[in-house]
Amino acid sequence: MTEPASSVLPPAPEVAREVFGARFADAVRYAELLAEVGVKRGLIGPREVPRLWERHLLNCAVLSEVVPEAVTVCDVGSGAGLPGVPLALVRPDLRITLLEPLLRRTNFLQEVVETLGLEHVSVVRGRAEEVLGSLSPVHVVTARAVAPLDRLAGWGIPLLRPYGEMLALKGDTAEEELRGARAALQKLGVVESSVLRVGQGLVEPSATVVRAEVGESPGGVRFAAKKAKAARSGRPRGARRRR
């Protein structure tokens, strides 16, 4: 029985060879896994299969243009691995954590990491607010289609190291969303925010990224107080401060 036309994975476009370079074959394998296993497990809809390359893989891979070299990255709400896996394929210099709360998704992500030999990628099951303290702070937090910007920032910004940044792939309303979230971002310790266009000349339309850069207190003053309180409550009973 043949698949319905709406769920057939098209051949990789020529630009994918340019974007993924030496890992092009792995990018093809990842696209196949999304189109087959991903659809069967409900990680992506069958209607997304024909546009996997342009809308998903390439759109995520070009995020690499604004990620600094040799940094740690946490992909919050990674889902089926977007943008974390395409980013990992084009940037072997990064140490990437795919953070995802749902078991069926983390199982898929682990299979992808092992199949593609992504030794610089780890999979962690959990929500951002649950891994605070157990996950080492990172230089960059990435996210795509997770939540509105103000809510996303509340989850992602506290995971950053001082002077780190959150890079959120957004759509046409990115500018409007950023304007509405600026007050919330400032409370979370964001000192600079902007909207960037990446992948120009490679993907059409170019991908839109909201960048939120933090100062010395990721998460803001309230988070710093909460972290200090948690550290005190975790001190062994009977322990005293040194004078």
Side-chain angles (χ1 to χ4, degrees):
M1 186 175 179
T2 59
E3 294 179 88
S6 62
S7 63
V8 174
L9 178 67
E14 194 59 34
V15 70
R17 293 183 181 274
E18 179 182 350
V19 171
F20 289 101
R23 300 304 297 263
F24 171 71
D26 291 320
V28 171
R29 182 65 187 125
Y30 177 50
E32 292 170 347
L33 288 169
L34 287 173
E36 298 163 5
V37 182
V39 171
K40 287 179 182 177
R41 298 186 190 176
L43 303 183
I44 66 165
R47 292 181 181 274
E48 294 302 309
V49 174
R51 50 187 184 178
L52 269 177
W53 285 105
E54 287 81 2
R55 185 182 175 93
H56 299 287
L57 274 72
L58 290 168
N59 185 271
C60 290
V62 295
L63 180 63
S64 65
E65 294 179 5
V66 290
V67 178
E69 292 185 7
V71 297
T72 52
V73 178
C74 181
D75 188 31
V76 173
S78 194
L82 301 166
V85 172
L87 184 61
L89 288 171
V90 298
R91 293 290 301 276
D93 59 302
L94 305 175
R95 301 292 302 179
I96 299 177
T97 299
L98 306 178
L99 181 62
E100 169 56 46
L102 295 184
L103 180 60
R104 63 189 172 89
R105 292 177 180 170
T106 54
N107 285 342
F108 174 76
L109 291 173
Q110 193 59 53
E111 291 167 18
V112 168
V113 167
E114 292 172 3
T115 299
L116 303 184
L118 298 175
E119 296 181 357
H120 58 304
V121 178
S122 59
V123 179
V124 173
R125 184 185 175 198
R127 300 181 185 279
E129 60 270 31
E130 296 170 346
V131 300
L132 285 172
S134 60
L135 187 69
S136 296
V138 296
H139 298 91
V140 177
V141 163
T142 59
R144 179 179 188 256
V146 173
L149 187 59
D150 54 351
R151 198 186 320 161
L152 171 63
W155 299 332
I157 294 292
L159 298 176
L160 290 170
R161 295 172 47 147
Y163 307 105
E165 59 186 336
M166 183 178 74
L167 298 171
L169 279 161
K170 287 289 183 177
D172 297 336
T173 60
E175 298 271 5
E176 180 182 345
E177 198 171 341
L178 177 56
R179 283 195 296 272
R182 276 212 164 96
L185 293 177
Q186 288 176 355
K187 290 180 181 178
L188 289 165
V190 172
V191 296
E192 189 72 35
S193 57
S194 56
V195 173
L196 312 173
R197 300 289 191 275
V198 295
Q200 295 186 37
L202 295 171
V203 295
E204 183 60 42
S206 56
T208 304
V209 180
V210 173
R211 169 186 270 162
E213 303 170 74
V214 299
E216 61 183 15
S217 300
V221 176
R222 288 175 62 187
F223 173 71
K226 185 187 297 185
K227 187 164 65 171
K229 182 179 180 181
R232 289 195 299 271
S233 66
R235 193 178 293 125
R237 189 174 295 177
R240 296 182 179 180
R241 293 181 181 174
R242 291 186 179 182
R243 296 183 180 272

